[in-house]
Short mmCIF file of all heavy atoms in Angstrom, two decimals:
data_model
loop_
_atom_site.label_atom_id
_atom_site.label_comp_id
_atom_site.label_asym_id
_atom_site.label_seq_id
_atom_site.Cartn_x
_atom_site.Cartn_y
_atom_site.Cartn_z
N LEU A 1 49.42 3.53 -29.28
CA LEU A 1 49.35 4.75 -30.08
C LEU A 1 47.99 5.41 -29.88
O LEU A 1 46.95 4.79 -30.13
CB LEU A 1 49.56 4.43 -31.56
CG LEU A 1 49.28 5.56 -32.57
CD1 LEU A 1 50.19 6.75 -32.35
CD2 LEU A 1 49.41 5.04 -34.00
N ALA A 2 48.00 6.66 -29.44
CA ALA A 2 46.75 7.40 -29.19
C ALA A 2 46.29 8.10 -30.46
O ALA A 2 46.98 8.99 -30.96
CB ALA A 2 46.96 8.42 -28.07
N GLU A 3 45.13 7.67 -30.98
CA GLU A 3 44.54 8.34 -32.14
C GLU A 3 43.58 9.39 -31.61
O GLU A 3 42.39 9.14 -31.43
CB GLU A 3 43.82 7.31 -33.03
CG GLU A 3 43.27 7.89 -34.33
CD GLU A 3 41.81 8.33 -34.25
OE1 GLU A 3 41.11 7.95 -33.29
OE2 GLU A 3 41.37 9.06 -35.15
N ALA A 4 44.13 10.56 -31.33
CA ALA A 4 43.33 11.62 -30.74
C ALA A 4 43.64 12.93 -31.44
O ALA A 4 44.67 13.55 -31.18
CB ALA A 4 43.61 11.73 -29.24
N PHE A 5 42.77 13.35 -32.34
CA PHE A 5 42.88 14.67 -32.96
C PHE A 5 41.91 15.58 -32.22
O PHE A 5 40.74 15.71 -32.61
CB PHE A 5 42.55 14.60 -34.45
CG PHE A 5 43.46 13.71 -35.25
CD1 PHE A 5 43.02 12.48 -35.70
CD2 PHE A 5 44.75 14.10 -35.55
CE1 PHE A 5 43.85 11.66 -36.45
CE2 PHE A 5 45.60 13.29 -36.30
CZ PHE A 5 45.14 12.06 -36.74
N THR A 6 42.35 16.19 -31.17
CA THR A 6 41.45 16.97 -30.32
C THR A 6 42.21 18.14 -29.71
O THR A 6 43.26 18.55 -30.23
CB THR A 6 40.83 16.06 -29.24
OG1 THR A 6 39.89 16.82 -28.48
CG2 THR A 6 41.89 15.47 -28.31
N ARG A 7 41.74 18.68 -28.63
CA ARG A 7 42.33 19.87 -28.02
C ARG A 7 43.72 19.56 -27.46
O ARG A 7 43.98 18.46 -26.96
CB ARG A 7 41.41 20.39 -26.91
CG ARG A 7 40.01 20.70 -27.41
CD ARG A 7 39.15 21.33 -26.33
NE ARG A 7 39.09 20.57 -25.10
CZ ARG A 7 38.32 19.50 -24.92
NH1 ARG A 7 37.58 19.03 -25.91
NH2 ARG A 7 38.30 18.88 -23.75
N PRO A 8 44.63 20.53 -27.51
CA PRO A 8 46.03 20.27 -27.11
C PRO A 8 46.17 19.73 -25.70
O PRO A 8 46.92 18.77 -25.47
CB PRO A 8 46.69 21.65 -27.25
CG PRO A 8 45.88 22.37 -28.27
CD PRO A 8 44.48 21.90 -28.07
N ARG A 9 45.47 20.30 -24.72
CA ARG A 9 45.65 19.85 -23.34
C ARG A 9 45.20 18.40 -23.17
O ARG A 9 45.79 17.65 -22.40
CB ARG A 9 44.86 20.75 -22.37
CG ARG A 9 45.21 22.23 -22.41
CD ARG A 9 46.63 22.52 -21.96
NE ARG A 9 47.58 22.41 -23.04
CZ ARG A 9 47.78 23.34 -23.97
NH1 ARG A 9 47.09 24.45 -23.98
NH2 ARG A 9 48.71 23.16 -24.90
N VAL A 10 44.16 18.01 -23.91
CA VAL A 10 43.66 16.64 -23.83
C VAL A 10 44.68 15.68 -24.44
O VAL A 10 45.00 14.62 -23.86
CB VAL A 10 42.31 16.51 -24.54
CG1 VAL A 10 41.84 15.06 -24.56
CG2 VAL A 10 41.26 17.39 -23.84
N MET A 11 45.23 16.04 -25.59
CA MET A 11 46.24 15.20 -26.23
C MET A 11 47.48 15.07 -25.34
O MET A 11 48.06 13.98 -25.21
CB MET A 11 46.60 15.78 -27.59
CG MET A 11 45.46 15.76 -28.59
SD MET A 11 45.77 16.73 -30.09
CE MET A 11 47.02 15.76 -30.90
N GLU A 12 47.86 16.16 -24.72
CA GLU A 12 49.03 16.13 -23.84
C GLU A 12 48.78 15.23 -22.62
O GLU A 12 49.67 14.50 -22.20
CB GLU A 12 49.36 17.56 -23.39
CG GLU A 12 49.86 18.44 -24.52
CD GLU A 12 49.80 19.92 -24.20
OE1 GLU A 12 49.61 20.26 -23.01
OE2 GLU A 12 49.91 20.74 -25.13
N ARG A 13 47.57 15.29 -22.08
CA ARG A 13 47.26 14.47 -20.91
C ARG A 13 47.37 12.98 -21.25
O ARG A 13 47.88 12.18 -20.44
CB ARG A 13 45.85 14.79 -20.43
CG ARG A 13 45.44 14.06 -19.15
CD ARG A 13 46.12 14.67 -17.95
NE ARG A 13 45.64 14.10 -16.70
CZ ARG A 13 45.91 14.61 -15.51
NH1 ARG A 13 46.64 15.70 -15.40
NH2 ARG A 13 45.46 14.03 -14.41
N LEU A 14 46.91 12.60 -22.42
CA LEU A 14 47.01 11.20 -22.83
C LEU A 14 48.46 10.75 -22.89
O LEU A 14 48.79 9.62 -22.51
CB LEU A 14 46.33 11.00 -24.19
CG LEU A 14 44.81 11.17 -24.20
CD1 LEU A 14 44.28 11.23 -25.63
CD2 LEU A 14 44.13 10.04 -23.44
N GLY A 15 49.34 11.63 -23.36
CA GLY A 15 50.76 11.29 -23.38
C GLY A 15 51.31 11.13 -21.97
O GLY A 15 52.08 10.20 -21.70
N LYS A 16 50.90 11.99 -21.07
CA LYS A 16 51.41 11.93 -19.70
C LYS A 16 50.97 10.67 -18.98
O LYS A 16 51.74 10.09 -18.20
CB LYS A 16 50.94 13.16 -18.91
CG LYS A 16 51.59 14.46 -19.33
CD LYS A 16 51.03 15.63 -18.54
CE LYS A 16 51.66 16.95 -18.97
NZ LYS A 16 51.09 18.09 -18.22
N ILE A 17 49.75 10.21 -19.21
CA ILE A 17 49.24 9.09 -18.43
C ILE A 17 49.64 7.73 -19.00
O ILE A 17 49.26 6.71 -18.43
CB ILE A 17 47.70 9.16 -18.28
CG1 ILE A 17 47.01 9.05 -19.65
CG2 ILE A 17 47.30 10.42 -17.54
CD1 ILE A 17 45.50 9.07 -19.55
N GLY A 18 50.43 7.72 -20.11
CA GLY A 18 50.99 6.44 -20.50
C GLY A 18 51.03 6.07 -21.96
O GLY A 18 51.69 5.09 -22.32
N PHE A 19 50.34 6.79 -22.85
CA PHE A 19 50.38 6.41 -24.25
C PHE A 19 51.79 6.56 -24.80
O PHE A 19 52.44 7.59 -24.60
CB PHE A 19 49.37 7.23 -25.07
CG PHE A 19 47.97 6.69 -24.99
CD1 PHE A 19 47.10 7.14 -24.01
CD2 PHE A 19 47.54 5.71 -25.86
CE1 PHE A 19 45.82 6.63 -23.90
CE2 PHE A 19 46.26 5.19 -25.77
CZ PHE A 19 45.39 5.65 -24.79
N THR A 20 52.25 5.55 -25.50
CA THR A 20 53.62 5.50 -26.01
C THR A 20 53.85 6.53 -27.10
O THR A 20 54.87 7.23 -27.11
CB THR A 20 53.92 4.10 -26.58
OG1 THR A 20 53.55 3.11 -25.63
CG2 THR A 20 55.38 3.96 -26.95
N GLN A 21 52.92 6.60 -28.05
CA GLN A 21 53.01 7.51 -29.18
C GLN A 21 51.66 8.20 -29.35
O GLN A 21 50.64 7.75 -28.83
CB GLN A 21 53.36 6.76 -30.47
CG GLN A 21 54.67 6.00 -30.42
CD GLN A 21 54.88 5.16 -31.68
OE1 GLN A 21 54.09 5.20 -32.62
NE2 GLN A 21 55.95 4.38 -31.70
N SER A 22 51.66 9.29 -30.12
CA SER A 22 50.43 10.06 -30.30
C SER A 22 50.34 10.61 -31.71
O SER A 22 51.34 11.05 -32.29
CB SER A 22 50.38 11.22 -29.30
OG SER A 22 50.53 10.77 -27.97
N TYR A 23 49.12 10.58 -32.26
CA TYR A 23 48.86 11.32 -33.49
C TYR A 23 49.06 12.81 -33.22
O TYR A 23 49.07 13.25 -32.06
CB TYR A 23 47.44 11.07 -33.98
CG TYR A 23 47.22 9.76 -34.71
CD1 TYR A 23 47.35 8.55 -34.05
CD2 TYR A 23 46.84 9.75 -36.04
CE1 TYR A 23 47.12 7.34 -34.71
CE2 TYR A 23 46.60 8.56 -36.72
CZ TYR A 23 46.75 7.35 -36.05
OH TYR A 23 46.52 6.17 -36.71
N THR A 24 49.18 13.60 -34.27
CA THR A 24 49.56 15.00 -34.11
C THR A 24 48.80 15.91 -35.07
O THR A 24 47.99 15.45 -35.89
CB THR A 24 51.06 15.19 -34.37
OG1 THR A 24 51.30 15.00 -35.78
CG2 THR A 24 51.90 14.21 -33.57
N TYR A 25 49.12 17.20 -35.01
CA TYR A 25 48.57 18.18 -35.94
C TYR A 25 49.42 18.33 -37.20
O TYR A 25 49.17 19.23 -38.01
CB TYR A 25 48.47 19.55 -35.26
CG TYR A 25 47.61 19.58 -34.03
CD1 TYR A 25 48.01 20.30 -32.91
CD2 TYR A 25 46.39 18.92 -33.98
CE1 TYR A 25 47.22 20.35 -31.77
CE2 TYR A 25 45.59 18.96 -32.84
CZ TYR A 25 46.01 19.68 -31.74
OH TYR A 25 45.23 19.72 -30.61
N PHE A 26 50.42 17.48 -37.37
CA PHE A 26 51.26 17.56 -38.57
C PHE A 26 50.42 17.62 -39.84
O PHE A 26 50.74 18.35 -40.78
CB PHE A 26 52.20 16.34 -38.63
CG PHE A 26 52.78 16.07 -39.98
CD1 PHE A 26 53.85 16.81 -40.46
CD2 PHE A 26 52.27 15.06 -40.79
CE1 PHE A 26 54.39 16.57 -41.72
CE2 PHE A 26 52.80 14.81 -42.05
CZ PHE A 26 53.87 15.57 -42.51
N THR A 27 49.33 16.86 -39.86
CA THR A 27 48.50 16.75 -41.05
C THR A 27 48.00 18.11 -41.53
O THR A 27 47.77 18.30 -42.72
CB THR A 27 47.29 15.83 -40.75
OG1 THR A 27 47.75 14.70 -40.00
CG2 THR A 27 46.64 15.35 -42.02
N TRP A 28 47.87 19.06 -40.61
CA TRP A 28 47.31 20.37 -40.95
C TRP A 28 48.33 21.50 -40.88
O TRP A 28 47.95 22.67 -40.87
CB TRP A 28 46.13 20.67 -40.03
CG TRP A 28 45.03 19.67 -40.19
CD1 TRP A 28 44.05 19.64 -41.15
CD2 TRP A 28 44.80 18.52 -39.37
NE1 TRP A 28 43.23 18.56 -40.97
CE2 TRP A 28 43.67 17.84 -39.89
CE3 TRP A 28 45.44 17.98 -38.26
CZ2 TRP A 28 43.17 16.67 -39.33
CZ3 TRP A 28 44.94 16.81 -37.69
CH2 TRP A 28 43.82 16.18 -38.22
N ARG A 29 49.58 21.20 -40.82
CA ARG A 29 50.61 22.24 -40.85
C ARG A 29 51.15 22.33 -42.28
O ARG A 29 51.80 21.39 -42.76
CB ARG A 29 51.74 21.92 -39.86
CG ARG A 29 51.28 21.87 -38.40
CD ARG A 29 50.76 23.23 -37.95
NE ARG A 29 50.42 23.25 -36.53
CZ ARG A 29 49.19 23.14 -36.05
NH1 ARG A 29 48.17 22.99 -36.90
NH2 ARG A 29 48.95 23.18 -34.76
N ASN A 30 50.88 23.46 -42.95
CA ASN A 30 51.09 23.53 -44.40
C ASN A 30 52.13 24.54 -44.85
O ASN A 30 52.46 24.58 -46.03
CB ASN A 30 49.76 23.83 -45.10
CG ASN A 30 48.75 22.72 -44.90
OD1 ASN A 30 49.10 21.55 -44.96
ND2 ASN A 30 47.51 23.08 -44.63
N THR A 31 52.65 25.36 -43.96
CA THR A 31 53.67 26.33 -44.35
C THR A 31 54.95 26.04 -43.59
O THR A 31 54.96 25.35 -42.56
CB THR A 31 53.22 27.77 -44.05
OG1 THR A 31 53.18 27.96 -42.63
CG2 THR A 31 51.86 28.05 -44.67
N SER A 32 56.03 26.61 -44.09
CA SER A 32 57.32 26.44 -43.44
C SER A 32 57.29 26.96 -42.01
O SER A 32 57.78 26.31 -41.08
CB SER A 32 58.41 27.17 -44.24
OG SER A 32 59.65 27.12 -43.58
N GLN A 33 56.70 28.12 -41.81
CA GLN A 33 56.64 28.71 -40.47
C GLN A 33 55.81 27.85 -39.53
O GLN A 33 56.20 27.61 -38.37
CB GLN A 33 56.06 30.12 -40.53
CG GLN A 33 56.02 30.82 -39.17
CD GLN A 33 55.52 32.25 -39.26
OE1 GLN A 33 55.39 32.80 -40.35
NE2 GLN A 33 55.23 32.85 -38.13
N GLU A 34 54.66 27.37 -40.00
CA GLU A 34 53.81 26.51 -39.17
C GLU A 34 54.56 25.25 -38.75
O GLU A 34 54.48 24.81 -37.59
CB GLU A 34 52.54 26.14 -39.92
CG GLU A 34 51.56 27.27 -40.11
CD GLU A 34 50.39 26.89 -40.99
OE1 GLU A 34 50.45 25.83 -41.67
OE2 GLU A 34 49.40 27.64 -41.02
N MET A 35 55.28 24.66 -39.69
CA MET A 35 55.99 23.42 -39.39
C MET A 35 57.11 23.67 -38.37
O MET A 35 57.31 22.87 -37.45
CB MET A 35 56.55 22.82 -40.68
CG MET A 35 56.77 21.32 -40.61
SD MET A 35 55.22 20.39 -40.45
CE MET A 35 54.60 20.44 -42.12
N GLN A 36 57.83 24.75 -38.53
CA GLN A 36 58.90 25.06 -37.59
C GLN A 36 58.34 25.31 -36.18
O GLN A 36 58.88 24.82 -35.19
CB GLN A 36 59.69 26.29 -38.06
CG GLN A 36 60.54 26.03 -39.30
CD GLN A 36 61.45 27.20 -39.61
OE1 GLN A 36 62.21 27.66 -38.76
NE2 GLN A 36 61.40 27.68 -40.84
N GLU A 37 57.28 26.07 -36.10
CA GLU A 37 56.69 26.37 -34.79
C GLU A 37 56.19 25.09 -34.12
O GLU A 37 56.39 24.89 -32.91
CB GLU A 37 55.54 27.36 -34.95
CG GLU A 37 56.00 28.77 -35.34
CD GLU A 37 54.83 29.70 -35.61
OE1 GLU A 37 53.68 29.21 -35.66
OE2 GLU A 37 55.06 30.91 -35.80
N TYR A 38 55.58 24.21 -34.89
CA TYR A 38 55.02 22.99 -34.30
C TYR A 38 56.11 22.04 -33.85
O TYR A 38 56.06 21.48 -32.74
CB TYR A 38 54.08 22.31 -35.29
CG TYR A 38 53.30 21.17 -34.68
CD1 TYR A 38 52.67 21.32 -33.45
CD2 TYR A 38 53.18 19.96 -35.33
CE1 TYR A 38 51.94 20.29 -32.89
CE2 TYR A 38 52.46 18.91 -34.78
CZ TYR A 38 51.83 19.09 -33.56
OH TYR A 38 51.13 18.05 -33.00
#
């Protein structure tokens, strides 16, 4: 599990190179629209 709260491209790269799961920006999505978009 990658604990990486950082820039999107960096988080995506960690997923591509092998991390099984990843932390996300869910913690900071607070409206219905934000949650749907994410």
Side-chain angles (χ1 to χ4, degrees):
L1 169 62
E3 185 266 345
F5 298 106
T6 184
R7 303 185 306 281
R9 302 296 86 79
V10 175
M11 295 169 70
E12 292 163 14
R13 184 75 173 191
L14 292 169
K16 289 178 181 178
I17 63 178
F19 278 91
T20 310
Q21 301 174 5
S22 305
Y23 281 66
T24 70
Y25 300 139
F26 162 78
T27 317
W28 298 278
R29 297 297 185 260
N30 296 319
T31 69
S32 175
Q33 182 177 349
E34 289 174 347
M35 204 66 77
Q36 290 189 53
E37 290 175 352
Y38 189 46

